[in-house]
Amino acid sequence: MQQEKPIAGIIMGSSSDLPVMQAAADVLQQFGIPWEIDIVSAHRTPLRMVQYAQSAYERGIRVIIAGAGGAAHLPGMTASLTALPVIGVPVKSSNSIDGWDSVLSILQMPNGVPVATVALNAAKNAGLLAVQILAANNPALYEKMLHYKAQQAALVEEQAQLLHRKP
Ligand code: RP5
């Protein structure tokens, strides 16, 4: 159980999105960011979506990660209802043809209502982007992100050295 008040919100259209969306929660946890998670369907529970989006800022949320598949309206509609940054995760769901429907319905937002769309099923990157948004105004978190990136680079160097090592 997290004690601190959540500053990042993860929402998804269905519990069937959870196996993908869990990666966002894992990243936030890794960086020590208090988060909350919920099922909020744009189509099945539109009023719940309105309530979630309109109350998020007042409740202390500073960034929202929203995942959905198929006719994936949740990220865009959430973005239309709040001034908080919204990161959209297109999910390749059971009702998705091949993922493009999810991607395009989250990506192709009209001017004035941006959604930062990550790659198909890329909830991990959504988590990382949320951390970066929060870190822009938080030096300690920014340091942690620099460290994460340095570790990632070191891993590539290590892999390259292994590849070039003579048998
Ligand atoms: C979308 O429909 C959800 O986000 C999910 O990706 C997809 C399928 O939902 P279920 O039928 O599995 O509940 O709204």
Side-chain angles (χ1 to χ4, degrees), residues 42-117:
H43 302 120
R44 293 168 178 154
T45 59
L47 297 181
R48 186 170 163 76
M49 175 192 64
V50 172
Q51 212 272 329
Y52 183 91
Q54 290 187 335
S55 68
Y57 182 80
E58 293 304 319
R59 292 187 298 101
I61 299 298
R62 292 296 174 261
V63 59
I64 295 173
I65 298 170
H73 296 124
L74 180 65
M77 288 306 296
T78 299
S80 77
L81 291 159
T82 176
L84 289 171
V86 175
I87 303 167
V89 182
V91 175
K92 189 170 178 186
S93 56
S94 60
N95 65 326
S96 173
I97 295 170
D98 58 6
W100 280 109
D101 40 13
S102 319
V103 170
L104 294 176
S105 54
I106 296 178
L107 182 68
Q108 291 302 113
M109 287 298 291
N111 281 331
V113 190
V115 168
T117 309

